Amino acid sequence: MGKMKKLMTAGAALTLVLALGISACASDADAAVADVSTADYAVEEMLVLAIQDEYNGKAEYEALIETFDAGRPFTNIVKAEQNHIDALIPLFEAYGYAVPEDNTADNVEIPATLAETYAIGVEAEIANIELYENFLANNDVPEDVTIVFENLIEASRNHLAAFERGVDREGGRRGEQQWQLKGNRRNR
């Protein structure tokens, strides 16, 4: 998983993870152990994976902005990632779980070009959507957590659209490639 995981958010790592049928362990985003497509996670494990993903995304996008002097959509998505973190923290508090520390900025590596970041962003958002959909489909998820996860799915769909536009603008058309999402198919 090495380089892909380091290139872009934990969401990008989750793309590779989903392809390999493994997922980041709840206690350590670098330890891969479970199949997220069918795994039965406790609420705490789902929340830890979710917030680590949001932490990683925010750190990566902040680094991209600094490295490439990038603006939108990255500046908007950084704000959104913080909103996602802010939506998850009350769930940790409501269930009496410790909020994991955000130490992701120390491990950020940036792709060689801005154009690469859009393609990686597309894959990351697809993986993100699949992660939350799998949590909701395969686990007993409390209503308040379900609402937040559903909102995060919608946010990821918006981010996906922004990254797809970036791919089209920066990297040319995707040709025959199709991005398909469960529950909301997007064929391009």
Side-chain angles (χ1 to χ4, degrees), residues 137-158:
N138 296 307
N139 298 280
D140 185 23
V141 183
E143 185 177 350
D144 54 348
V145 177
T146 295
I147 291 167
V148 171
F149 286 176
E150 287 173 346
N151 289 336
L152 294 175
I153 288 169
E154 287 307 310
S156 286
R157 287 183 177 139
N158 292 334

Side-chain angles (χ1 to χ4, degrees), residues 63-142:
L64 291 171
I65 291 166
E66 184 176 322
T67 301
F68 296 111
D69 194 28
R72 291 178 39 197
F74 300 106
T75 53
N76 291 345
I77 295 174
V78 164
K79 292 175 191 171
E81 298 294 346
Q82 184 60 57
N83 290 338
H84 304 165
I85 292 164
D86 293 343
L88 289 164
I89 288 174
L91 295 173
F92 280 89
E93 294 166 354
Y95 290 93
Y97 305 137
V99 177
E101 284 186 45
D102 180 3
N103 56 8
T104 54
D106 298 336
N107 300 317
V108 173
E109 288 192 26
I110 304 298
T113 68
L114 185 60
E116 283 180 73
T117 66
Y118 290 107
I120 293 169
V122 166
E123 295 299 325
E125 295 304 334
I126 289 170
N128 222 278
I129 292 164
E130 290 176 350
L131 175 73
Y132 290 120
E133 286 177 341
N134 287 326
F135 281 164
L136 294 173
N138 296 307
N139 298 280
D140 185 23
V141 183

Side-chain angles (χ1 to χ4, degrees), residues 167-186:
V167 167
D168 291 344
R169 184 178 56 252
E170 297 287 330
R173 300 300 301 180
R174 290 180 298 278
E176 298 300 312
Q177 203 166 18
Q178 294 183 338
W179 310 111
Q180 296 183 354
L181 304 176
K182 295 178 188 173
N184 182 23
R185 293 191 179 265
R186 296 177 62 93

